[in-house]
Amino acid sequence: MPIRTRALRLFLIIFIISLALPQISFAQSQASAVLYEVNSEQFPLISGLLDVYDEQGQFLRGLKPGSVSLLEGGETITPDRLTERAAPLQVVVAINSGPALAVRDGQGFSRYDKAIAVLDNWAAARPSDSADLFSLTWNGGIVTSRVNPLTWRNRLELFDPQLRASTPNLAALSYALDTALETPLVPGGKRAILLVSSHLDSENIAALNDLTARANQAGIRVFAWIVDSKDFLVHPGADALRQMAIATGGATLDFTGIETLLDPEEWLGTLRWVYEFEYASAVRESGQHSLSVLISSGELALNSNQAVLDLTVLPPNPILLSPPSQITRQNPEDQFDLENSQPASQALEILIEFPDGHPRPLERTTLYVDDVVVQENTSDPFEQFNWDLRGYLVSGTHSLRIEAVDSLGLSSTSAPVTVDVVVVQPPGGLAGLILRNNVAIATTGVVFAGLVLLVVIFFSGQKTFSRMAERRRIRARQLDPVTQPVQTGLEPPTRPLPAANPFPWIRRKTPPPPAYLVKLTSDGQPAPGGDPISLSAPELTIGADPTQATNVLGDPSLSPLHARIQRTANGFLLTDNRSIAGTWVNYETIPQEGCLLAHGDVVNFGQLTYRFVLGKPPAIQKPKLTPIQPE
């Protein structure tokens, strides 16, 4: 008997303790990894958020980058950064008022008083700088929404739930869902509802499924304190609340008034953490690419949900900014020293566009001239080039293009741009020979003139000495009476010879040219100091190169051999020699076969303007008046 008595006492003690402990129901969930908020705006840098929970539904903390593998379109990538951080929480406490919450114990404290005391202590324990947003709803509507914990405590203290006059229903939960969905979540933040309710009537059980679906769709976890008598805790209305909590990933606690309520933070604390990750994408082409996460921590291996990266990936587009259409090189100090012609280089600037909207670092930019690499930039500044012109000693047209390669290895080339490099050549022929050797020629001339002068002085001195001796001999004969002549008579004077032309170099006056070109200013007036160009020769060529043109005009717009004027039986024919700047007559481009010039025509060679004038202008015909006979 003593043994049976002790056993019975032990059974009773265990039974009493079990009644005093709260009955807690958790969601029967397994470990999970949730991938969300994937951001590709900074492509190729991809970022996102990750929630990892163990078999007990607790957040799995302390993961390192080596424990996480990112699966991107078949490529396995280790994240460059994996950071665990706290995230704010949006919590809505929903009070489903009813008489069951007003039941008091022997000390006069109601079930509602005990629940409110735990909630108040929980809110008071929140940090003063907490970013959590608290809300409070009940059957009659929204009491307060999206406030800090301190303000929420004040509103909770003043709130009157009208327990005896209220009927339990789903209004408090519906208001809680509406309030939770009103405010957008910050990245990584989560929503939760803590429902304080007695069992539901049978008529409300069916409607609870719709609210559960809304919570699941919004990712809101619902936790419930089922406050009721022991008999009603097994009611289908209480089971319906438990099923809702399990379906949304929450938990429930049964409370009859004698149990100890758990601190809500034991449920909600696991929702305050999130992992941030970043990695460099391996995607190199446009399209949709899958992304998932593999977690490996100890014996736990998890695969996350699969996200889709919809990416547009295009190579960079290089553009030459305002390239010069023509570069003129010349040496003003020594026109025969072409190697030191100026400019020696040409600065070029480019613009790099990313058509896919994802700017990224550049690896290389290259300047090609006539498909030959001229300069390559492998570091900043990638947008600037300095084209070396020292090797261009002959005029020509050159093609420029730019190639750009980005950090993904994608490359593209700009459209080719043509640039004319005009090298002013020194004069050729006899004039060029004289100019090239002017110092030597001048020195030789001075030496030769000196030699000639010495010869003249020498022979002049010899002749002077001879004349002086001859005059002394003549003087001696004149003084000798024996040798004096005897005058016998006068001889008749002889007729003087005609005088020779003292200026044999003066020639007859040359006839005027049949036509000539008169240089004009920009306003069409004859240019001061400009000598007309005579058109006496059968053919005249105009250009910038003395070796090719008979008439050299010093203007950069002229080609080496720009135009040709021929004197024909029909008049003066002007043709263009495929010049760059072109030839116009009366401001119209001349045809390929040429144009016959008329008296007074305005002729343009590039930027130079001339007027064609005949030596004998045609007579101006007077207008004739023809009377009209009346009908």
Side-chain angles (χ1 to χ4, degrees):
M1 287 296 293
I3 296 176
R4 289 184 177 180
T5 304
R6 287 197 297 270
L8 181 60
R9 290 177 179 175
L10 181 61
F11 173 78
L12 291 175
I13 293 174
I14 294 174
F15 178 75
I16 294 173
I17 293 175
S18 65
L19 291 177
L21 292 176
Q23 301 298 312
I24 303 174
S25 298
F26 291 97
Q28 301 299 316
S29 62
Q30 57 184 359
S32 64
V34 181
L35 172 66
Y36 60 105
E37 294 287 347
V38 178
N39 187 351
S40 61
E41 292 182 358
Q42 302 298 322
F43 179 85
L45 186 66
I46 305 294
S47 62
L49 301 178
L50 182 65
D51 291 337
V52 184
Y53 298 97
D54 59 16
E55 294 88 343
Q56 289 75 36
Q58 298 298 311
F59 189 84
L60 186 60
R61 303 186 61 181
L63 289 178
K64 303 299 181 183
S67 303
V68 178
S69 298
L70 302 167
L71 306 178
E72 182 189 63
E75 294 283 340
T76 302
I77 304 173
T78 300
D80 298 322
R81 181 176 66 85
L82 182 68
T83 305
E84 178 184 348
R85 67 169 176 85
L89 189 63
Q90 293 185 19
V91 182
V92 184
V93 176
I95 307 296
N96 187 11
S97 296
L101 275 67
V103 175
R104 298 181 181 273
D105 60 11
Q107 298 179 352
F109 293 104
S110 67
R111 295 169 178 167
Y112 175 78
D113 293 337
K114 296 177 181 179
I116 293 304
V118 174
L119 292 175
D120 183 73
N121 291 333
W122 165 63
R126 298 297 93 217
S128 59
D129 59 347
S130 173
D132 292 347
L133 296 178
F134 282 22
S135 301
L136 178 64
T137 65
W138 74 301
N139 312 40
I142 299 174
V143 179
T144 186
S145 176
R146 303 183 300 278
V147 297
N148 59 53
L150 178 60
T151 304
W152 186 85
R153 289 182 63 203
N154 297 332
R155 295 302 304 272
L156 180 65
E157 182 180 355
L158 300 175
F159 170 60
D160 180 12
Q162 303 179 19
L163 300 176
R164 298 290 182 182
S166 300
T167 301
N169 54 43
L170 296 177
L173 180 58
S174 179
Y175 286 130
L177 286 172
D178 294 340
T179 303
L181 294 174
E182 283 181 358
T183 305
L185 284 175
V186 298
K190 299 177 181 64
R191 301 184 179 101
I193 294 175
L194 175 58
L195 176 65
V196 181
S197 173
S198 59
H199 73 279
L200 298 177
D201 293 338
S202 300
E203 59 185 15
N204 289 320
I205 294 176
L208 187 62
N209 294 331
D210 294 337
L211 297 179
T212 303
R214 284 185 61 191
N216 274 329
Q217 185 177 5
I220 300 175
R221 296 194 184 196
V222 179
F223 302 87
W225 285 351
I226 304 176
V227 182
D228 218 325
S229 63
K230 183 177 179 181
D231 294 336
F232 285 108
L233 290 178
V234 294
H235 189 276
D239 289 338
L241 293 175
R242 296 185 185 96
Q243 293 300 322
M244 176 193 63
I246 293 173
T248 60
T252 61
L253 181 146
D254 297 341
F255 181 64
T256 63
I258 63 175
E259 298 87 357
T260 300
L261 288 172
L262 297 179
D263 185 350
E265 193 63 22
E266 295 188 20
W267 285 345
L268 303 178
T270 191
L271 303 180
R272 297 183 183 277
W273 297 99
V274 66
Y275 284 107
E276 290 180 338
F277 67 87
E278 282 184 354
Y279 74 97
S281 175
V283 173
R284 296 296 183 269
E285 59 183 17
S286 301
Q288 291 186 340
H289 307 270
S290 62
L291 177 64
S292 60
V293 181
L294 175 63
I295 307 294
S296 179
S297 177
E299 297 180 356
L300 183 64
L302 297 175
N303 284 313
S304 75
N305 57 303
Q306 190 175 90
V308 176
L309 298 173
D310 192 357
L311 297 173
T312 300
V313 183
L314 298 173
N317 181 30
I319 302 172
L320 268 169
L321 293 179
S322 303
S325 59
Q326 178 176 303
I327 302 173
T328 302
R329 300 192 68 228
Q330 59 182 347
N331 189 342
E333 297 180 358
D334 186 356
Q335 56 186 332
F336 293 97
D337 185 9
L338 296 179
E339 294 182 354
N340 291 317
S341 296
Q342 298 298 322
S345 61
Q346 175 65 47
L348 299 173
E349 187 173 356
I350 65 172
L351 172 68
I352 303 294
E353 292 182 342
F354 288 89
D356 55 15
H358 302 299
R360 45 195 176 270
L362 295 173
E363 292 293 328
R364 172 175 58 86
T365 55
T366 307
L367 170 64
Y368 291 87
V369 178
D370 299 331
D371 295 328
V372 177
V373 176
V374 171
Q375 185 179 345
E376 187 173 82
N377 295 328
T378 56
S379 61
D380 281 327
F382 288 98
E383 295 82 7
Q384 296 177 5
F385 292 95
N386 197 32
W387 181 16
D388 188 356
L389 301 174
R390 291 175 295 180
Y392 298 89
L393 305 180
V394 179
S395 300
T397 301
H398 302 277
S399 176
L400 277 65
R401 60 186 179 91
I402 302 295
E403 181 187 22
V405 182
D406 64 14
S407 58
L408 300 180
L410 303 178
S411 66
S412 67
T413 305
S414 67
V417 175
T418 58
V419 177
D420 294 317
V421 178
V422 178
V423 181
V424 178
Q425 301 291 330
L430 180 59
L433 180 63
I434 294 174
L435 290 175
R436 184 185 296 271
N437 302 285
N438 55 359
V439 176
I441 293 175
T443 304
T444 304
V446 170
V447 173
F448 180 76
L451 293 175
V452 171
L453 180 60
L454 290 176
V455 171
V456 170
I457 293 175
F458 176 76
F459 285 103
S460 297
Q462 293 292 331
K463 190 175 294 185
T464 300
F465 294 147
S466 300
R467 288 176 180 174
M468 291 175 63
E470 181 65 23
R471 282 199 291 269
R472 284 195 296 267
R473 288 193 296 269
I474 293 173
R475 182 66 175 171
R477 286 197 300 267
Q478 289 176 352
L479 296 176
D480 189 358
V482 177
T483 60
Q484 294 300 313
V486 178
Q487 184 174 4
T488 58
L490 296 174
E491 295 181 0
T494 60
R495 185 177 181 181
L497 295 175
N501 186 0
F503 307 104
W505 57 85
I506 297 180
R507 301 178 180 177
R508 296 181 180 179
K509 185 177 181 181
T510 57
Y516 48 89
L517 295 173
V518 178
K519 188 175 182 180
L520 303 179
T521 60
S522 58
D523 55 357
Q525 300 299 320
D531 295 332
I533 300 175
S534 175
L535 303 180
S536 302
E539 182 180 78
L540 178 139
T541 55
I542 294 174
D545 189 350
T547 62
Q548 302 184 49
T550 58
N551 282 69
V552 178
L553 304 180
D555 191 88
S557 64
L558 265 65
S559 297
L561 181 57
H562 194 97
R564 191 185 308 272
I565 301 178
Q566 295 173 305
R567 186 175 181 183
T568 65
N570 297 326
F572 290 89
L573 178 65
L574 171 64
T575 58
D576 184 77
N577 195 54
R578 297 189 299 276
S579 64
I580 297 175
T583 305
W584 296 275
V585 174
N586 297 328
Y587 308 103
E588 293 185 1
T589 305
I590 64 175
Q592 186 176 2
E593 62 273 10
C595 174
L596 285 173
L597 297 176
H599 179 72
D601 283 348
V602 177
V603 182
N604 284 87
F605 303 104
Q607 297 180 353
L608 298 179
T609 306
Y610 289 84
R611 185 182 299 281
F612 176 75
V613 179
L614 289 173
K616 294 181 179 180
I620 300 176
Q621 296 182 355
K622 296 182 179 180
K624 296 181 180 181
L625 301 177
T626 304
I628 300 176
Q629 299 296 333
E631 297 181 357

